[in-house]
């Protein structure tokens, strides 16, 4: 397995090539060998970088320094300065104004990037998750103590707001704004609900936080309760997370015994109680309003919005619903201040993000890195590259409600704003890395299979639309589809997006669009040529046991 | 009050009103299936989507509360397209096995399907997914192939009857309406009030007693004759027969609600044992004395042929009765006559019985079963 | 409703069903199986609990369906209602929860009443009723502190030998808490039959003319004599339960029965059969040859509600139209036409002659004309007309004139009799208690799927498929003692008769009690019931009698 400490990218679009990018690449390769860095530093090319007057560009990771224009003869100097001596070659830096589009963010990243920056996972794996003493020794309850004794609820919210923290559940809603909505909503009592129903396939970041640092979640929920004026909190936890459940229960128990939970915490007059509720295995209950329905003991079906939970949440009362990772971030913000938090990540998306990496990479697992790094960095550096012989084809983010990111977009910085602009979604932080052995139609079929099963069944477009889409995809994989079927995708996807009640139905349509947008040729090959280029699909009808279904009428 | 604009009309409605209700008040029809004014909004069918200025996506008007200054459009080519797609999706999972239903008229679902020009034959599912007539309930017919999962039955059972028989089972494409834990309605503690049938917009739930009865020639609103609640009900009449009883949405006491007797206990009216002519005992026609029951016989048993019933005409029956009552009164005094009037009869009949007793007979010996 | 008439001067449901369902903060249901006997109102009560969180206390020996929605279920022993109510009122006084201002300004007789209630400390009430003291306190607190509180009852209160006293004690409770004349409160007896209220309103009672104008009152009699052109009897007549024995004794020579089936619906059926058999002449106007028809000399074919036009008055005093939907079946005739024809013929041939008077005649073109006559002689119906009802007016009597909107809530500001009267009510034990020979208590009533004597519902195919035979409810503990499994038949025997039916083993009934209905002639509970009468309103005590139960 190859491990690199740095990654160098050379632009290789036509313009760059005209300006000697190929020679530059060769020269860089030579220089690396000269300094004996070829094992530690990886050299690669980048195609889609947007327009630039500073071509050819050279980008060095993990610091993400952008040089340009770089002439072939600069190669030796650049390698020596940056990679051998370890300092930025200031004179070769690309003028920032000449950069545009996706490249501009790199300069906004302020300084160098550490390999991993742990904020929410900083205690996970390092402390005894069942000992409140261990937690307290490791800065536990500093944030809550500070908030309860030195800050008003409004000041807490203001600090969170200033930090620019965005929800980590997938939608990226500004957390400070949400807190202030709940604090400002009329109606009482108010509730804090922690969404720990982590059910996106391949996502297990929240589990790590809950299992590794359960007291932090308990503290953060209490902090949120103080800020928004709630005295009761609920943790709606995925039913399968038995260990996390057990550790959180233990945390609640110990915190209560230590007076960190319950009546009059820190003698501040503020009281707070937390209840646990285990989900029963429905994916849709991760949607916040379905979660609230489920918590109320009803069938987990998303509500219609407006009104939103911030004003009409649990039992119709103002309710703050936040994801585990989101809440876990708030402690560090209160401890270290919004200013500090903003020093991480990008301008528009401060802070870190926890990702779970799976698929055809050498080192799958969980990482916590600052917002704004690219998929290429994740794969090449943190996941230590694609498996031998594998070529990166696409990534699927955020479990099923994320989107498909083709290789062409792998240099898009992973933050809310950039992804939104690129028309893709960060999702919940899962990264399924696929290579050429993945068939795009098969992948979409698997996703739709999941949706048609996990749709709550409430609204027509989602309940029936996912089924119809699945049927078409299945026909393609069986070689039974026509090109007309492909015209149905945008129509169906459009209506599902337009008329579904919640995000599930809307995002279920995304794969239908994405596969045609990025992989139309591959899809059409199934239909026109009758072959699956990846060799995955059966391309023949799988016989089901023949069932004659005739209406059964009662005797008159 | 909140000011909103719907299709260019300025409308003022109380805050908390949904856009759908506001449109209704302005005389604007928005297609709906899962919505019913008596039930909590659900927002499932999505047929009622409208465009709201400033909103990214169309919104379901049945669950959308009005906001000051809201500008709503209820008809546009895009909305028509959305609604047609929704109806097509619903139809793709709907199967009509071709039997004659028990509905009063065309179902709400079929009206919209036709309105949007969808061919039932082409659009419906290739085969049924469920058995037709899947519940043994004696008065309610269940055919889930016609179910569009609007959950009006679920809500009617919960919000009108408070019985919670129906619910949604399964999820995703396998979602279906189930009684209890997928058992029969009666085992799921159904009280057979028929509210679910009254609210069903597709005929998935239907009146078993009325299957194939067709459309009524007249519908007469009247007051139920069972208990003292006094529900207003609609008798559907065809060929001088009651073919079904339906809810009258404007009923002051009960709204859409009824009980099992009110909705399904009507066929006694046409029972073959109905008295269709006056009858008198033979001894009265022959001018003989009343035959005594033989000793030892049970009360009411009398095998004497003079005690047989004879059907007669009204004139004879009334003449005999008048003579006998007049005779009793004239010979034994007015208090030798007793009258039992009926808590089942109308006020007008009861008034006449009271007048009859007091004016015609001259006694106060009148009572009914109020005490019982 | 004599009890309410004594306490308030008017004996009807004081509030509306809708009002109670929408506004009551708490409710006491006592002696009413609301969800089975008044199902649509029962459903509204469920919704009041579900939607508004209305606190519901149900007092019933049986675990009837509505107890599922109750905050508290009090399972008093049959016939111990007065001890229960007095015990609750003791607690209310003890805690100072009574409405002192209401008592002061709107009632009389409080001190005497209080002295009686003070004889019922919770311990004593608990002993008589079998309800633990703690539950009595809990109930009193719920009912006294969640106002307005509505009391709802039905035959379970009135069909006792102490029925009138039960009702008066409920009136006491509502006066004590000041729940009269307010939305969401009141005394709310649910009338059994669809038009019991109307039959009473129309003078179908031996002591009152239409609108509860008392027979013994000179002025009233003169008014009706003037209207009808004939001298009227000043003597209060016989009630049904007196008429039957009188027929048996030969004092009643002729009986004219319209739409009633005393053999099924009256207690002690054997006795009723004997009485009817003894009557010289019985004319029965009916739609079916009922069990009573076996004793009739003439059967007149009347019509069902679907074949006639007129009005019913529901339990909340609401007058509503009945519309003819189909023509009379066969040669049957509308009942008002039969009665009018009979009246004309009797007046023609009999000795009693009628003078010309404004309302003496019997020529009616339609029932609207009859209602006009009702309005002319009945102050509480003065403003009722078919025309207004057809126009959509919602009229609850009293409707004082043609422009009066009706009266949804009675006793607002003032009771009909001026001030409300507290009546001291003592507990008396039921007339027939279990002994060695008849060790169990029989409770009787109706079930959801059937109606009364069952003449209609036993001929409704759908209802019969659901509930096709009489079932006798037996507690599982008793079933074990008897060696009874759920499918066996039982024989229930009282001092008066015996029935056999299938047993339904259920904890709806408490141990020591069986419950039977009277819908099925082959096993009618009224073969067993006791004809002992309430001394004031002469309702039989259907709800308690001693029986023995054997497995067949």
């Amino acid at each position: 397995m190859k491990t690199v400490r740095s990654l160098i990218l050379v632009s290789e679009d036509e313009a760059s090539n005209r300006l000697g990018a190929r020679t530059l690449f060769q020269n860089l390769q030579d220089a690396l060998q000269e300094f004996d860095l070829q094992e530690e530093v990886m050299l690669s090319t980048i195609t889609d970088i947007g327009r630039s007057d500073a071509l050819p560009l050279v980008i060095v990771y993990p610091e993400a320094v952008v040089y340009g224009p770089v002439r072939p003869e600069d190669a030796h100097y650049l390698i020596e300065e940056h990679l051998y001596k370890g300092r930025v070659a200031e004179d070769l830096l690309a003028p920032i104004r000449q950069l545009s589009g996706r490249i501009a963010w790199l300069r906004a990243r302020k300084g160098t990037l550490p390999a991993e920056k742990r904020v929410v996972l900083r205690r996970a794996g390092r402390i005894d998750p069942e000992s409140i003493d261990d937690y307290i020794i490791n800065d536990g309850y500093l944030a809550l103590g500070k908030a309860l004794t030195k800050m008003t609820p409004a000041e807490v919210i203001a600090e969170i707001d200033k930090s620019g923290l965005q929800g980590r559940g997938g939608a990226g809603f500004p957390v400070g704004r949400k807190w202030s909505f709940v604090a400002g909503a009329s109606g009482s009592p108010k509730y804090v609900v922690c969404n720990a129903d982590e059910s996106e396939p391949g996502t297990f970041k929240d589990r790590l936080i809950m299992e590794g640092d359960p007291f932090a979640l308990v503290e953060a929920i209490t902090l949120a309760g103080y800020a928004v004026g709630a005295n009761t909190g609920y943790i709606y936890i995925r039913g399968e997370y038995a260990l996390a459940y057990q550790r959180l229960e233990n945390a609640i128990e110990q915190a209560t015994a230590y007076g960190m939970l319950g009546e009059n915490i820190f003698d501040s007059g503020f009281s707070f109680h937390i209840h646990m509720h285990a989900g029963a295995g429905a994916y849709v209950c991760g949607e916040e309003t379905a979660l609230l329905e489920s918590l109320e003991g009803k069938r987990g079906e998303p509500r219609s919005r407006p009104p939103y939970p911030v004003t009409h949440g649990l039992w119709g009362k103002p309710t703050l619903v936040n994801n585990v990772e989101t809440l876990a971030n708030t402690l560090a913000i209160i401890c270290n201040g919004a200013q500090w938090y903003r020093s991480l990540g990008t301008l528009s998306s401060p802070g870190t993000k926890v990702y779970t990496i799976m698929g055809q990479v050498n080192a799958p697992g969980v990482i916590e890195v600052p917002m704004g790094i690219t998929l290429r960095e994740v794969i090449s550096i943190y996941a230590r590259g694609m498996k031998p012989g594998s070529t990166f084809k696409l990534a699927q983010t955020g479990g099923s409600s994320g989107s498909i990111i083709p290789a062409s977009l792998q240099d898009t910085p992973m933050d809310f704003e950039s992804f939104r602009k690129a028309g893709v979604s960060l999702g919940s932080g899962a990264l399924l890395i696929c290579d050429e052995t993945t068939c795009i139609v098969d992948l979409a079929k698997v996703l739709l299979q999941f949706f048609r099963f996990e749709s709550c069944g409430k609204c027509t477009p989602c309940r029936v639309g996912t089924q119809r889409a699945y049927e078409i995809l299945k026909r393609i994989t069986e070689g039974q589809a026509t090109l007309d079927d492909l015209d149905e995708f945008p129509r169906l996807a459009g209506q599902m997006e337009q008329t579904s009640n919640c995000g599930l139905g809307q995002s279920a349509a995304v794969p239908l669009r994405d596969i045609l947008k990025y992989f139309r040729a591959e899809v059409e090959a199934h239909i026109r040529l009758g072959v699956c280029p990846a060799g995955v699909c059966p391309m023949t009808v799988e016989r089901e046991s023949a069932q004659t279904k005739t209406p059964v009428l009662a005797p008159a | 009050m909140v000011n909103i604009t719907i299709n260019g009309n300025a409308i003022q409605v109380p805050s908390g009103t949904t856009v759908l209700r506001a449109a209704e008040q302005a005389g604007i029809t928005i297609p709906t299936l899962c919505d019913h004014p008596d039930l909590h909004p659900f927002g499932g069918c999505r047929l009622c989507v409208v465009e709201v200025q400033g909103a990214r996506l169309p919104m379901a008007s049945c669950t959308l509360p009005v906001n000051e200054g809201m500008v709503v459009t209820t008809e546009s080519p895009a909305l028509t397209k959305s609604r047609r797609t929704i109806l097509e999706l619903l139809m793709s999972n709907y199967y009509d096995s071709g039997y004659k239903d028990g509905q009063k008229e065309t179902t709400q679902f079929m009206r919209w399907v036709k309105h949007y020009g969808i061919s039932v034959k082409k659009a419906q599912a290739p085969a049924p997914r469920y058995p037709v007539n899947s519940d043994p309930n004696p008065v309610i017919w269940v055919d889930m192939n016609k179910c569009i999962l609007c959950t009006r039955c679920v809500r009617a059972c919960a919000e009108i009857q408070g019985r919670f028989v129906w619910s949604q089972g399964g999820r995703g494409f396998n979602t279906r309406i189930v009684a209890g834990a997928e058992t029969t309605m009666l085992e799921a503690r159904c009280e057979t009030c028929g509210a679910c049938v009254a609210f069903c917009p597709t005929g998935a739930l239907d009146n078993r007693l009325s299957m194939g009865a067709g459309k009524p020639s007249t519908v007469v609103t009247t007051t139920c004759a069972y208990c003292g609640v006094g529900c207003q009900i609609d008798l559907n009449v065809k060929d001088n027969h009651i073919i079904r009883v339906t809810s009258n949405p404007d009923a002051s006491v009960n709204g859409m609600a009824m009980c099992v007797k009110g909705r399904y206990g009507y066929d006694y009216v046409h029972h073959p044992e109905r008295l269709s002519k006056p009858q008198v005992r033979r001894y009265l026609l022959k001018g003989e004395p009343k035959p005594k029951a033989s000793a030892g016989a049970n009360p009411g048993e009398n095998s004497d042929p003079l005690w047989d019933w004879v059907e007669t005409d009204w004139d004879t029956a009334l003449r005999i009765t008048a003579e006998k009552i007049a005779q009793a009164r004239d010979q034994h005094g007015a208090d030798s006559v007793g009258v039992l009037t009926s808590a089942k009869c109308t006020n007008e009949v009861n008034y006449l019985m009271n007048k009859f007793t007091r004016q015609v007979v001259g006694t106060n010996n009148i009572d009914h079963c109020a005490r019982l | 409703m004599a009890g309410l008439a004594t306490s308030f001067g008017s004996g009807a449901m004081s509030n509306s069903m809708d009002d109670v369902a929408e506004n009551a903060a708490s409710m006491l249901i006592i002696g009413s199986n609301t969800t089975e006997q008044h199902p649509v109102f029962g459903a509204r009560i469920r919704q009041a609990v579900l939607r508004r969180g209305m606190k519901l206390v149900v007092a019933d020996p049986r675990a009837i369906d509505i107890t599922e929605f109750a905050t508290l279920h009090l399972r008093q022993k049959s016939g111990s209602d007065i001890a229960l109510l007095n015990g609750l009122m003791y607690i209310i006084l003890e805690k100072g929860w009574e409405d002192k201002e209401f008592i002061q300004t709107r009632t009389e007789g409080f001190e005497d009443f209080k002295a009686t209630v003070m004889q019922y400390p919770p311990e004593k009430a608990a002993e008589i009723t079998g309800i633990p003291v703690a539950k009595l306190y809990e109930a009193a607190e719920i009912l006294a502190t969640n106002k307005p509180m509505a009391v709802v009852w039905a035959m379970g209160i009135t069909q006792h030998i102490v029925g009138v006293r039960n009702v008066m004690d409920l009136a006491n409770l509502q006066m004590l808490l000041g729940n009269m004349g307010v939305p969401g409160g009141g005394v709310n007896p649910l009338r059994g039959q669809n038009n019991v209220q109307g039959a009473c309103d129309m003078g179908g009672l031996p002591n009152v003319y239409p609108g509860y104008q008392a027979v013994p009152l000179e002025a009233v009699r003169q008014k009706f004599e003037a209207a009808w052109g004939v001298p009227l009897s000043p003597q209060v007549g016989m009630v049904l339960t007196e008429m039957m024995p009188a027929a048996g004794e030969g004092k009643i020579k002729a009986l004219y029965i319209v739409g009633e089936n005393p053999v099924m619906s009256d207690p002690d059926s054997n006795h009723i059969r004997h009485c009817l058999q003894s009557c010289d002449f019985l004319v029965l106007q009916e739609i079916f040859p009922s069990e009573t028809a076996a004793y009739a000399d003439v059967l007149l074919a009347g019509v069902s509600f679907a074949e006639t036009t007129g009005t019913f008055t529901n339990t909340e005093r609401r007058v509503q139209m009945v519309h003819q939907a189909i023509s009379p079946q066969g040669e049957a005739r509308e009942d008002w036409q039969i009665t009018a024809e009979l009246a004309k013929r009797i007046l023609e041939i009999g000795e009693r002659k009628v003078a010309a008077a404004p309302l003496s005649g019997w020529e009616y073109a339609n029932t609207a004309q009859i209602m006009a006559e009702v309005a002319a002689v009945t102050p509480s119906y003065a403003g009722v007309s078919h025309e207004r009802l057809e126009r959509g007016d919602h009229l609850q009597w009293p409707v004082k004139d043609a422009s009066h909107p009706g009266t949804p809530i009675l006793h607002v500001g003032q009771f009909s009799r001026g001030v409300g009267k507290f009546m001291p009510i003592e507990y008396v034990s039921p007339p027939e208690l279990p002994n060695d020979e008849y060790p169990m208590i029989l409770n009787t009533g109706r079930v959801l799927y059937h109606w009364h004597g069952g003449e209609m519902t036993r001929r409704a195919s759908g209802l019969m498929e659901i509930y096709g035979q009489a079932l006798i409810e037996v507690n599982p503990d008793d079933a074990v003692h008897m060696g009874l499994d759920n499918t066996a038949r039982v024989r229930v025997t009282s001092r008066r008769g015996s029935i056999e039916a299938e047993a339904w083993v259920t904890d709806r009934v408490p141990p020591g009690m069986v419950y039977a209905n009277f819908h099925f002639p082959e096993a009618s509970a009224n073969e067993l019931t006791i004809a002992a009468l309430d001394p004031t309103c002469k309702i039989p005590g259907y709800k308690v009698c001693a029986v023995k139960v054997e497995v067949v």
Side-chain angles (χ1 to χ4, degrees), chain B residues 159-283:
Chain B
E159 296 172 21
I160 303 290
Q161 192 67 3
R163 199 62 176 173
F164 306 96
V165 170
W166 294 116
S167 60
Q168 295 136 281
R171 63 179 182 229
F173 188 65
N174 285 323
T175 310
R176 60 215 175 267
I177 299 294
V178 297
E182 297 214 54
T183 173
T184 63
M185 292 175 70
L186 287 175
E187 278 178 24
R189 306 175 74 231
C190 171
E191 289 173 319
T192 324
C193 71
C196 52
V197 178
F199 281 88
C200 178
T202 69
L205 301 172
D206 212 336
N207 298 307
R208 185 184 294 273
L209 301 177
S210 311
M211 297 306 282
K215 289 184 180 27
S217 50
T218 50
V219 175
V220 179
T221 303
T222 191
T223 306
C224 176
Y226 281 108
C227 78
V229 171
C231 295
Q232 297 291 293
I233 61 178
D234 278 359
L235 302 181
N236 292 223
V237 176
K238 187 180 174 185
D239 303 331
N240 208 33
H241 262 66
I242 303 172
I243 54 170
R244 71 177 68 77
V245 175
T246 49
S247 294
N248 181 326
D250 300 324
S252 49
V253 171
N254 54 306
M256 294 284 286
M258 260 191 244
C259 79
V260 58
K261 295 186 289 288
R263 202 185 297 275
Y264 298 114
Y266 58 86
D267 51 339
Y268 74 89
V269 169
H270 304 291
H271 196 277
E273 282 171 25
R274 271 293 296 272
L275 297 173
S276 60
K277 284 183 87 168
Q279 299 176 24
V280 298
R281 298 291 182 184
R282 192 179 305 280
Y283 83 90

Side-chain angles (χ1 to χ4, degrees), chain B residues 24-46:
Chain B
E24 255 169 28
Q25 283 173 33
I28 296 165
T29 304
I30 301 175
T32 59
L33 286 170
C34 70
D35 181 79
H36 191 284
D38 291 1
L39 304 175
H40 277 107
F42 178 60
C45 76
R46 315 305 286 179

Side-chain angles (χ1 to χ4, degrees), chain C residues 367-390:
Chain C
T367 52
Q369 289 182 356
I370 303 174
M371 184 47 80
E373 184 172 326
V374 171
V377 296
T378 314
S380 55
Y381 277 67
V384 177
S385 67
H386 285 196
E387 192 201 342
R388 283 188 75 182
L389 294 170
E390 297 288 14

Side-chain angles (χ1 to χ4, degrees), chain C residues 75-84 86-87 119-132 136 426-430 433:
Chain C
R75 224 166 172 172
Q76 80 273 34
K77 287 181 191 160
S78 292
S80 68
D81 307 285
I82 290 171
L84 167 61
N86 284 352
Q119 306 301 310
Y120 293 86
E123 294 70 25
K124 182 177 170 187
E127 194 191 322
I128 301 172
T129 60
I131 300 166
L136 293 174
E426 291 278 5
Y427 166 74
V428 210
S429 57
L433 286 171

Side-chain angles (χ1 to χ4, degrees), chain A residues 280-347:
Chain A
Y283 169 72
V284 74
C285 287
E287 198 280 345
E288 61 177 2
T289 58
L291 182 150
L292 294 176
E293 289 282 295
S294 173
L295 200 51
E296 288 180 11
K298 301 177 193 154
R299 182 179 160 90
E301 278 181 355
R303 298 174 180 171
S304 296
R305 284 158 299 180
Y308 293 89
V310 289
T311 54
H312 294 77
L314 189 63
W315 315 113
K317 302 294 180 190
T319 302
L320 174 71
V321 186
N322 272 150
N323 168 266
V324 173
E325 188 189 343
T326 312
L327 286 166
N329 269 296
T330 61
L331 297 180
I333 295 170
I334 295 301
C335 276
N336 306 324
Q339 208 55 46
W340 166 83
Y341 194 75
R342 280 206 168 268
S343 72
L344 305 167
T346 65
L347 259 179

Side-chain angles (χ1 to χ4, degrees), chain C residues 302-320:
Chain C
V303 295
S304 73
F305 79 113
E307 297 147 67
T308 192
T309 294
T311 55
F312 288 155
T313 303
N314 78 352
T315 187
E316 55 182 5
R317 300 169 281 108
R318 185 189 296 267
V319 187
Q320 304 187 105

Side-chain angles (χ1 to χ4, degrees), chain A residues 116-131:
Chain A
E116 244 197 291
K117 178 72 193 176
R118 289 194 168 195
V119 175
V120 305
L121 289 173
R122 69 188 183 280
R123 277 181 292 255
R126 297 198 176 138
I127 65 164
D128 177 356
E130 296 184 353
S131 159

Side-chain angles (χ1 to χ4, degrees), chain A residues 128-152:
Chain A
D128 177 356
E130 296 184 353
S131 159
I132 192 168
D133 295 323
D134 213 12
Y135 177 67
I136 292 170
I137 291 164
N138 286 282
D139 300 345
Y141 283 104
L142 275 187
L144 187 64
K146 183 177 173 188
L148 288 186
T149 56
K150 295 186 185 134
M151 298 169 84
T152 64

